[in-house]
Amino acid sequence: RESLAQLAASFADLSGVESILKPGDVVEVMGDATYPGNVHIRPESSGTPENKVTIRGISVNGKRPKISGGDEWSFVLHASHMVFENFEVTGGQGGWLWRGHSQVVWNVLIEHGEWNVSRFGGDGTGATRGRYRFAYNTIVLGPDAQAFRASDLTESVEISNNVFFLPGGGDPE
């Protein structure tokens, strides 16, 4: 059996964890650290209605874990029955894609470019008919960014108790 140090080193970023996720798993990511972007949680890593997969940031020294950068995206959640909470996400080139029945709670989501903080639903290849919940997030938008984009037969979206911050002023789109 691997030592705890070897095991921890083998998951220095979330991309390595994605391939072993199973329903009911809870992944705790330590804060006061920055992790590389281009994280894509695929449908094969989905939870179930009874056993969601939770990816939870654990604050260290008062700082959430940060997922930053990426050639295409910072973080893409393409799996169902997921909970993603207590992260700061910034610096990707594109918006997020969310699959059915997901929750995004207690995060700091930042988009300084011209993309969406979150895009959910289908993208022309089929509808997900999913339910999405965004709660207790701080959402920072640049002058050309949009908060959310829903596509193709999204069943429902709950957006509650979030704070929207536009450094240049104005109304969030």
Side-chain angles (χ1 to χ4, degrees):
R1 177 162 164 80
E2 293 180 273
S3 73
L4 290 178
Q6 290 171 320
L7 187 59
S10 68
F11 296 113
D13 68 59
L14 289 174
S15 294
V17 175
E18 189 273 334
S19 65
I20 63 167
L21 291 175
K22 301 283 187 255
D25 282 351
V26 176
V27 178
E28 293 184 331
V29 180
M30 302 311 291
D32 200 10
T34 300
Y35 300 89
N38 280 341
V39 177
H40 186 174
I41 307 297
R42 291 173 170 73
E44 300 80 35
S45 299
S46 292
T48 66
E50 300 81 25
N51 292 298
K52 294 173 177 52
V53 171
T54 300
I55 301 174
R56 176 179 300 133
I58 304 297
S59 294
V60 173
N61 299 322
K63 296 179 181 177
R64 292 177 167 102
K66 181 187 285 189
I67 299 173
S68 183
D71 297 335
E72 296 185 51
W73 50 73
S74 290
F75 186 86
V76 175
L77 181 55
H78 196 192
S80 296
H81 305 290
M82 302 287 294
V83 176
F84 181 71
E85 61 187 14
N86 203 41
F87 282 85
E88 180 177 328
V89 181
T90 186
Q93 297 298 313
W96 299 9
L97 167 68
W98 299 94
R99 191 172 165 95
H101 315 308
S102 298
Q103 298 184 69
V104 180
V105 295
W106 294 112
N107 298 288
V108 176
L109 308 172
I110 303 169
E111 178 55 61
H112 293 295
E114 60 186 39
W115 303 98
N116 310 294
V117 166
S118 182
R119 180 183 70 144
F120 39 84
D123 60 0
T125 60
T128 62
R129 301 182 193 278
R131 295 184 307 270
Y132 307 91
R133 178 177 179 251
F134 292 83
Y136 308 104
N137 298 293
T138 299
I139 300 167
V140 180
L141 299 172
D144 298 318
Q146 296 180 345
F148 303 107
R149 177 179 165 203
S151 309
D152 287 352
L153 300 175
T154 299
E155 185 177 319
S156 67
V157 179
E158 175 192 337
I159 301 171
S160 61
N161 299 308
N162 296 286
V163 174
F164 292 85
F165 179 69
L166 289 81
D171 294 323
E173 293 184 20

